[in-house]
Amino acid sequence: METCVNDSESMYQFTPKSVTYRKFALHEEEPGEFDLKYSDDDHGEVQAELYPRLSVYDLIRLLRDRPASVAILDLRSNLEHKKVAIENSVNVPFSSVSLKESRLDVLNVPRLEAYLRRKIVVVVATAHESAMLMAKFLVDCSVSYVCVLNRGFGAIYRSDDKLLLQTFDYMNTLAKFVPNIASFVEA
């Protein structure tokens, strides 16, 4: 029984809150700008999806608090990835891969299996359909903990070729929502 409780607690601590989003859960506060928010139309679409969505808020928390526990697959083109990318993300241009065979080596990324092992795998793309297809492919390849960034790369990209994650203004805004980020901003 103790093992079951310990395993349950570990799973609870490991799982980002947005992947277990409940529309009718008791929300003590309105969802913030960086949380998941679904309209009635969105809710039906999300229920039909097989892979959970991760909020920008949870991505920031993972990158800040547990960077070793997250693996990010960026499906944009090489050119777009070189222009601006999430630190330590792996670029797998969606247009250049064939997902017909359920083997990670068809993605032509050295040591990809080791990079993904025992991590929360976040698929980031500009097109949601591409992200969902890659998520399915990864699960078919026996990769665990796969999720898709809600609203894709556009949710974290600014028009001045910076990521929201890289800007001082963003960190100050986020400080209102994320405990202990003030010390992170000053560092």
Side-chain angles (χ1 to χ4, degrees):
M1 184 64 119
E2 183 179 340
T3 302
C4 183
V5 170
N6 289 338
D7 289 348
S8 175
E9 178 65 25
S10 295
M11 189 177 297
Y12 175 78
Q13 295 297 330
F14 186 77
T15 305
K17 72 174 186 168
S18 58
V19 302
T20 61
Y21 176 83
R22 299 269 190 256
K23 179 179 179 181
F24 297 108
L26 175 62
H27 298 285
E28 294 176 6
E29 300 176 1
E30 282 294 312
E33 176 184 356
F34 308 109
D35 287 321
L36 292 181
K37 293 181 267 189
Y38 297 131
S39 67
D40 288 337
D41 295 335
D42 293 336
H43 193 67
E45 178 183 327
V46 171
Q47 283 182 320
E49 294 175 352
L50 300 176
Y51 313 99
R53 294 186 186 190
L54 183 76
S55 70
V56 172
Y57 174 86
D58 280 344
L59 177 62
I60 298 297
R61 288 192 71 135
L62 286 169
L63 292 172
R64 187 197 71 194
D65 299 340
R66 302 183 296 168
S69 72
V70 64
I72 300 173
L73 293 183
D74 188 335
L75 304 186
R76 298 173 303 131
S77 70
N78 286 329
L79 185 63
E80 291 173 313
H81 188 261
K82 285 178 184 172
K83 186 176 175 182
V84 62
I86 301 170
E87 189 175 349
N88 297 322
S89 63
V90 171
N91 185 227
V92 181
F94 189 77
S95 61
S96 68
V97 297
S98 172
L99 306 179
K100 293 177 183 171
E101 295 182 55
S102 298
R103 294 185 353 259
L104 288 177
D105 61 335
V106 300
L107 298 178
N108 296 320
V109 177
R111 299 184 301 279
L112 182 61
E113 188 173 347
Y115 174 70
L116 302 177
R117 189 176 300 122
R118 294 184 229 231
K119 293 183 181 177
I120 297 169
V121 179
V122 183
V123 180
V124 180
T126 50
H128 184 70
E129 298 78 27
S130 300
M132 296 308 284
L133 288 171
M134 179 60 78
K136 179 186 182 333
F137 172 79
L138 293 170
V139 170
D140 289 347
C141 292
S142 301
V143 176
S144 301
Y145 314 117
V146 177
C147 59
V148 173
L149 182 64
N150 188 51
R151 298 186 332 214
F153 193 79
I156 58 171
Y157 180 70
R158 292 176 11 148
S159 59
D160 62 358
D161 292 338
K162 288 189 177 179
L163 298 180
L164 289 176
L165 314 162
Q166 300 169 323
T167 66
F168 186 74
D169 292 341
Y170 173 74
M171 289 301 189
N172 284 331
T173 303
L174 191 61
K176 298 174 190 172
F177 301 102
V178 180
N180 301 323
I181 197 156
S183 60
F184 182 68
V185 172
E186 294 168 6

